[in-house]
């Protein structure tokens, strides 16, 4: 009922809803909120805030939530964005923020509250809209060269002296940049992990060395892959050491590696079948043993991957398990940078994932957890929205920690479009002062996992031929971002 005194937060009345027989589908019970018409002639953030609380009808009922949706009434009710918001039994302030593009200016944007999934007594109050202008992403890309020059380049001077210390002012001197200091890499697999022939694996490494100068082991050091049975680490360690030797021989920057995903990816792994006390002891042993065994070979560790989404261990054993993993990693590898890693931050239509990531990192640091860098997985299915990426990076920049782009993939496009979007993203990220490194997620469209005739996210086709993206990558790093000259 509207208005209703039972749903008042601080004022006299609010919005009161009882759902006694839920349908299990959120959209089957809808509350229409007042429509909103954006007026700013530029991209904006629409910020909707509200207070809410909920009561369960029965103790055994699942925890209720509300789904907030935004539709464009001028586009046949086209869905712009949707997000589920968990609710609590006491009053809490919630907000959902979406990007509105130029094409939405003058349109009627209708927010909905979907309540058909769970039974409960819902109360909402103090619903507020706010429009916040943001910088246009494509305009920001056009000014990328100036930012690259400011943040990624510097002047230097070379002096040549003879044995007596007198300047040599004759002859010619040539200077050529051999490798950038900025880490630009690709996800790597050991031959054991990749399951490739020696010939194919060597080709893959040669292709990687032609374009990159660092890399990340995304799966090899994940616990379920590295230690399939308690104490069984010899094969994985040998394979990893072989890849580390190859990287050193090619004068790469130190590699990085991912360690844990909260027990999510392999439910059958033995670590998921032990009590919390045993899990804590094994995890402690694993971190100290494996990180010490590699010494300073790895420059960065993604200690805990997707902690916002994959909560298996945390829900079973508590947040302290994750906090301890970082502390033990700092003890075992004091020279390495310890990093988080989350997906769905740069491509989300709503701002909430980026805000949640920002807040979780702030909380980790407030608790003294030794997190030193921010990892952001960059997966795009289709075009890269420049404004969204730029704004999400701005949110994370507020933490004043280096941001590493990892697992960058662009799918769902033909090779030419894919190359264009890849260049667009690289220009955004490389010119953003918060970004400290970029790693591509896939070099090759492996025919074992890529459908025949399909264009995967790699730089090389299944037939090992370079795609337009490979040329774009080289032109970016060996063209405008390259130093070479001769002075006579």
């Amino acid at each position: 009922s509207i208005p209703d005194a039972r749903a008042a937060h601080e004022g006299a009345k609010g919005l009161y809803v009882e759902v006694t027989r839920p349908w299990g589908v959120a959209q089957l019970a809808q509350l229409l909120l007042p429509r909103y018409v954006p007026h700013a002639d530029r991209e904006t953030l629409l910020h909707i805030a509200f207070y809410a609380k909920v009561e369960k009808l029965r103790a055994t009922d699942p925890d209720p939530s509300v789904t907030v949706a935004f539709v464009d009434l001028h586009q046949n009710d086209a869905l712009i964005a949707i997000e589920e918001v968990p609710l609590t039994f006491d009053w809490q302030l919630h907000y959902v923020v979406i990007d509105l593009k130029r094409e939405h200016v003058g349109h009627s944007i209708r927010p909905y509250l979907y309540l058909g999934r769970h039974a409960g007594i819902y109360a909402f109050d103090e619903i507020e809209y706010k429009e916040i202008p943001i910088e246009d992403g494509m305009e920001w890309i056009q000014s990328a060269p100036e930012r690259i020059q400011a943040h990624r380049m510097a002047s230097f001077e070379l002096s040549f002296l003879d044995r007596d210390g007198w300047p040599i002012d004759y002859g010619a001197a040539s200077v050529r940049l051999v490798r950038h200091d900025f880490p630009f890499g690709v996800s790597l697999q050991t031959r054991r992990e990749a399951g490739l022939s020696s010939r194919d694996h060597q080709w893959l490494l040669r292709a990687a060395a032609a374009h990159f100068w660092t890399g990340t082991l995304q799966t090899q050091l994940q616990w379920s892959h590295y230690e399939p049975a308690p104490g069984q680490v010899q094969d994985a360690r040998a394979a990893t050491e072989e890849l580390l030797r190859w990287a050193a021989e090619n004068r790469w920057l130190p590699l990085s590696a991912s360690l844990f995903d909260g027990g999510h990816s392999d439910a059958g792994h033995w670590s998921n079948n032990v009590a919390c006390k045993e899990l804590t002891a094994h995890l402690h042993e694993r971190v100290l043993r494996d990180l010490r065994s590699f010494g300073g070979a790895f420059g960065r560790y993604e200690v805990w991957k997707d902690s916002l989404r994959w909560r298996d261990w945390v829900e079973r054993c508590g947040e302290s398990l994750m906090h301890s993993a970082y502390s033990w990693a700092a003890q075992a590898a004091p020279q390495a940078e310890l990093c988080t890693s989350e997906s769905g931050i740069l491509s989300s239509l709503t701002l909430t994932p980026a805000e949640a990531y920002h807040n979780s990192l702030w909380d980790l640091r407030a608790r003294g957890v030794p997190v030193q860098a921010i990892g952001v997985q960059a997966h795009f299915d289709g075009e890269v929205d420049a404004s969204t990426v730029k704004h999400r990076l701005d949110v994370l920049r507020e933490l004043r920690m280096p941001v590493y782009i990892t697992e960058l993939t662009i799918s769902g496009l033909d090779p030419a479009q894919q190359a264009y979007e890849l260049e667009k993203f690289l220009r955004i990220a490389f010119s953003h002062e918060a970004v400290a490194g970029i790693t591509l997620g896939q070099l090759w469209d492996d025919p074992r996992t890529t459908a025949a005739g399909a264009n995967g996210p790699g730089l090389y086709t299944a037939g090992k031929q370079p795609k337009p993206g490979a040329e774009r990558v080289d032109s970016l790093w060996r063209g405008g971002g390259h130093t070479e000259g001769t002075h006579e």
Side-chain angles (χ1 to χ4, degrees):
S1 62
I2 308 173
D4 196 306
R6 293 173 294 179
H9 173 233
E10 289 187 348
K13 297 179 181 180
L15 191 158
Y16 178 90
V17 180
E18 290 187 11
V19 179
T20 57
R21 299 179 63 183
W23 291 269
V25 178
Q27 291 90 327
L28 293 183
Q30 303 181 2
L31 289 174
L32 281 67
L33 298 182
R35 64 187 181 93
Y36 187 83
V37 180
H39 297 289
D41 188 23
R42 60 182 303 172
E43 294 194 35
T44 61
L45 297 177
L46 175 57
H47 181 290
I48 179 170
F50 56 90
Y51 280 90
K53 68 175 182 177
V54 67
E55 295 180 29
K56 289 185 179 183
L57 296 181
R58 292 167 292 275
T60 56
D61 286 345
D63 292 337
S65 63
V66 60
T67 299
V68 183
F70 300 83
V71 302
D72 187 342
L73 301 183
H74 279 62
Q75 295 293 330
N76 297 318
D77 290 353
L79 181 66
I80 300 174
I82 188 168
E83 181 168 314
E84 184 176 6
V85 179
L87 301 179
T88 59
F89 305 131
D90 55 348
W91 284 107
Q92 295 288 339
L93 177 63
H94 303 275
Y95 61 89
V96 177
V97 184
I98 66 167
D99 293 338
L100 294 179
K101 307 303 179 185
R102 287 182 183 269
E103 57 264 30
H104 294 126
V105 174
H107 289 199
S108 292
I109 308 302
R110 172 77 75 183
Y112 285 83
L113 300 181
Y114 294 157
L115 298 168
R117 177 170 296 170
H118 303 124
I121 301 174
Y122 298 82
F124 302 93
D125 200 7
E126 299 177 33
I127 300 172
E128 180 184 32
Y129 299 171
K130 185 184 299 183
E131 188 175 323
I132 306 170
I134 60 174
E135 188 172 1
D136 181 87
M138 294 309 294
E139 292 178 1
W140 199 76
I141 289 178
Q142 292 173 2
S143 61
E146 290 80 6
R147 289 191 305 280
I148 291 173
Q149 186 167 6
H151 302 314
R152 307 298 181 191
M153 297 182 179
S155 299
F156 64 93
E157 182 178 289
L158 293 175
S159 298
F160 296 89
L161 307 176
D162 62 18
R163 292 180 179 178
D164 297 324
W166 292 95
I168 299 175
D169 56 2
Y170 54 87
S174 296
V175 176
R176 181 174 65 88
L177 179 66
V178 176
R179 187 192 69 196
H180 283 263
D181 182 59
F182 183 89
F184 184 53
V186 66
S187 294
L188 296 175
Q189 288 182 306
T190 65
R191 183 186 167 194
R192 173 181 179 269
E193 181 73 14
L196 296 172
S197 67
S198 177
R199 180 179 179 181
D200 282 345
H201 193 248
Q202 286 301 313
W203 170 82
L204 197 61
L205 292 179
R206 287 195 301 272
H211 302 284
F212 306 98
W213 47 92
T214 189
T216 299
L217 276 66
Q218 287 295 341
T219 56
Q220 180 66 75
L221 264 70
Q222 279 285 334
W223 200 3
S224 59
H225 291 261
Y226 195 83
E227 190 177 4
Q232 187 180 323
V233 299
Q234 296 83 357
D235 292 344
R237 180 181 297 168
T240 302
E241 289 174 343
E242 181 182 3
L243 190 57
L244 288 168
R245 284 194 296 271
W246 174 87
E249 290 167 0
N250 282 270
R251 300 177 63 188
W252 274 26
L253 295 173
L255 303 184
S256 57
S258 180
L259 300 179
F260 301 104
D261 66 359
H264 176 80
S265 61
D266 188 354
H269 188 244
W270 60 269
S271 62
N272 285 316
N273 299 310
V274 297
C276 289
K277 184 176 181 180
E278 294 175 88
L279 175 60
T280 302
H282 284 299
L283 193 147
H284 182 208
E285 177 187 10
R286 188 266 159 138
V287 170
L288 296 184
R289 177 196 64 208
D290 296 336
L291 271 59
R292 283 173 174 169
S293 72
F294 294 118
F298 287 100
R300 187 174 74 254
Y301 287 108
E302 296 176 6
V303 177
W304 203 283
K305 189 173 181 176
D306 278 307
S307 63
L308 295 180
R309 291 195 305 146
W310 298 341
R311 308 284 293 174
D312 308 55
W313 286 349
V314 168
E315 290 179 356
R316 182 159 67 94
C317 302
E319 294 274 358
S320 61
L321 182 66
M322 180 176 67
H323 300 169
S324 295
Y326 281 97
S327 298
W328 296 329
Q331 177 185 349
Q335 83 293 334
E337 201 170 24
L338 303 185
C339 187
T340 58
S341 177
E342 292 291 339
S343 60
I345 304 299
L346 300 181
S347 57
S348 171
L349 292 174
T350 63
L351 180 62
T352 309
E355 292 280 6
Y357 195 22
H358 173 284
N359 294 341
S360 71
L361 287 161
W362 188 276
D363 181 66
L364 287 175
R365 297 207 314 184
R367 294 173 182 270
V369 178
V371 174
Q372 299 157 321
I374 305 168
V376 182
Q377 301 162 42
H379 302 292
F380 299 92
D381 185 11
E383 296 182 5
V384 174
D385 189 299
S387 301
T388 299
V389 172
K390 189 262 181 185
H391 184 263
R392 304 309 185 256
L393 290 174
D394 287 348
V395 170
L396 298 177
R397 179 181 56 190
E398 296 173 0
L399 292 163
R400 300 183 182 276
M401 290 194 290
V403 175
Y404 290 95
I405 305 297
T406 68
E407 302 182 38
L408 170 60
T409 57
I410 299 175
S411 306
L413 301 172
D414 65 45
Q417 290 175 308
Q418 182 184 53
Y420 174 79
E421 296 300 324
L422 177 60
E423 179 180 359
K424 182 201 296 185
F425 182 87
L426 291 176
R427 288 188 182 278
I428 296 169
F430 186 55
S431 68
H432 199 288
E433 60 182 335
V435 176
I438 304 172
T439 302
L440 268 65
Q442 189 169 323
L443 178 62
W444 175 43
D445 292 345
D446 190 333
R448 298 172 300 175
T449 56
T450 305
N455 180 47
L459 297 183
Y460 285 79
T461 67
K464 301 179 182 176
Q465 296 301 308
K467 294 194 279 185
E471 182 179 350
R472 288 291 184 99
V473 165
D474 284 346
S475 66
L476 281 172
W477 295 104
R478 306 185 192 285
H482 189 74
T483 300
E484 187 168 358
T486 300
H487 179 73
E488 297 184 0

